[in-house]
Amino acid sequence: MIGNDVIDIIQSRKESNWQRKGLLEKIFTAEEQLLINKALQPEIMVWLLWSMKEAAYKIYNRQTKIRSYFPQKLECSFRFQNDSYMSGTVICCGNRYYTKTNITNDCIHTIAVINPDHLKKVIEIEKKNISKDQYGIPFLTSVQSDSVKDVSVSNHGRFEKVVALSFNDCPLSEPD
Amino acid sequence: MNKEELTAQLKVIIKPYTTNTDAYENFTEDTDFIKDLNINSANLVDIILDIEETFDIVIENTDMERMLDVKTSVVIIETKLAAK
């Protein structure tokens, strides 16, 4: 299973005021608010945490078919960080999701999976052969195996990201 | 305030966050904020805060969880107003 979320920081400045009174308290847990307050760039931390929550929620929604707006129930923490990415976990209603976030040029992109080994198997694909099921959850129509049908699509501002899991023994698409 | 007035006020609150004008024009109690109006999920919290300010009520997290469409939001606002 896979979920992803992309945020265009420039677009977010047009759409949202993260400093609005009462906003952070509605969305973030006490621990997350502490991370934001301590961050060198609080704005980036806000959207980094938000993209983790969104990416993880997409898997939760795929698993449970439950639609809900409960950002505080998606509890984020960080595992590892280097110059190119940050990895973390999001816990939601007893489920654990593993995330990896890249931050480059005003673009924050988080991928979430249920097995940390799958983070290495994420590929970006073209936006084609994608349908949605009755719950609005996207899947790939071009592949036979159930294990590689999951796809996640995220758009924001200037960016669009379409990601899937690629398992070596099961190619995502036949060569043309 | 009756249900129609309340729904009309909610419609005004939602307008700045809507990107689908057709769906907004055809606003009904079944309208879904995300599926129909294309509202960015990060802006749902702005709608909740606007509702709190407009109606002078407090929306708990357990109420917020369900506020994804017009019908549910109106019921929650009505309940909160009645309890004031």
Side-chain angles (χ1 to χ4, degrees):
Chain A
M1 292 214 176
I2 188 160
N4 94 126
D5 189 65
V6 66
I7 292 173
D8 180 342
I9 293 291
I10 304 298
Q11 183 73 14
S12 76
R13 286 179 188 146
K14 295 176 198 160
E15 291 173 349
S16 297
N17 171 16
W18 62 271
Q19 289 169 302
R20 178 175 181 178
K21 188 171 177 289
L23 185 140
L24 296 180
E25 290 81 356
K26 286 258 189 247
I27 293 181
F28 297 108
T29 65
E31 288 78 12
E32 291 162 356
Q33 291 177 48
L34 205 59
L35 288 171
I36 293 164
N37 291 334
K38 286 193 304 185
L40 290 172
Q41 294 176 286
E43 178 191 37
I44 299 295
M45 182 59 81
V46 164
W47 296 116
L48 164 62
L49 291 167
W50 180 257
S51 73
M52 288 168 69
K53 288 174 189 277
E54 282 281 306
Y57 172 77
K58 285 181 184 172
I59 304 185
Y60 173 83
N61 176 237
R62 195 183 282 275
Q63 287 173 318
T64 62
K65 317 298 181 203
I66 297 170
R67 287 184 71 224
S68 200
Y69 190 61
F70 50 20
Q72 282 197 12
K73 282 195 186 169
L74 294 143
E75 299 169 40
C76 301
S77 55
F78 293 108
R79 294 191 294 153
F80 174 79
Q81 174 181 4
N82 66 19
D83 289 342
S84 56
Y85 68 89
M86 299 184 81
S87 65
T89 54
V90 181
I91 310 261
C92 177
C93 307
N95 304 294
R96 183 184 297 264
Y97 306 105
Y98 296 86
T99 63
K100 184 175 170 182
T101 306
N102 285 289
I103 306 178
T104 47
N105 301 327
D106 299 325
C107 177
I108 297 181
H109 183 217
T110 297
I111 287 154
V113 291
I114 50 174
N115 177 337
D117 295 337
H118 291 176
L119 285 171
K120 295 193 283 276
K121 300 186 183 294
V122 176
I123 53 164
E124 285 193 34
I125 59 172
E126 270 187 87
K127 192 179 182 180
K128 63 175 191 184
N129 302 322
I130 295 172
S131 289
K132 284 186 176 179
D133 68 13
Q134 67 199 93
Y135 302 99
I137 298 166
F139 65 93
L140 286 170
T141 53
S142 57
V143 283
Q144 302 301 314
S145 163
D146 280 346
S147 62
V148 291
K149 269 189 170 164
D150 289 355
V151 62
S152 179
V153 182
S154 181
N155 297 284
H156 191 235
R158 298 163 292 166
F159 308 120
E160 176 173 77
K161 297 283 184 184
V162 186
V163 295
L165 292 171
S166 173
F167 297 95
N168 290 336
D169 53 339
C170 194
L172 262 175
S173 58
E174 299 296 325
D176 289 329
Chain B
M1 196 180 308
N2 67 31
K3 190 165 242 161
E4 284 69 37
E5 290 169 330
L6 221 155
T7 307
Q9 250 188 302
L10 183 62
K11 189 175 175 184
V12 173
I13 288 173
I14 285 165
K15 187 168 192 196
Y17 309 108
T18 305
T19 53
N20 186 339
T21 14
D22 284 347
Y24 184 77
E25 296 307 323
N26 298 311
F27 192 93
T28 70
E29 65 167 15
D30 292 321
T31 300
D32 187 285
F33 297 150
I34 294 173
K35 283 186 190 166
D36 299 321
L37 299 177
N38 270 346
I39 291 172
N40 182 333
S41 55
N43 283 136
L44 278 186
V45 70
D46 287 300
I47 292 175
I48 305 286
L49 291 167
D50 289 348
I51 288 172
E52 288 191 334
E53 288 167 17
T54 304
F55 298 103
D56 191 26
I57 53 177
V58 176
I59 306 286
E60 314 292 342
N61 285 345
T62 46
D63 297 318
M64 185 166 97
E65 289 183 7
R66 301 186 290 125
M67 291 175 71
L68 295 167
D69 58 71
V70 174
K71 194 190 294 172
T72 315
S73 303
V74 167
V75 169
I76 288 168
I77 297 165
E78 272 183 325
T79 311
K80 295 280 168 189
L81 287 175
K84 278 214 302 188

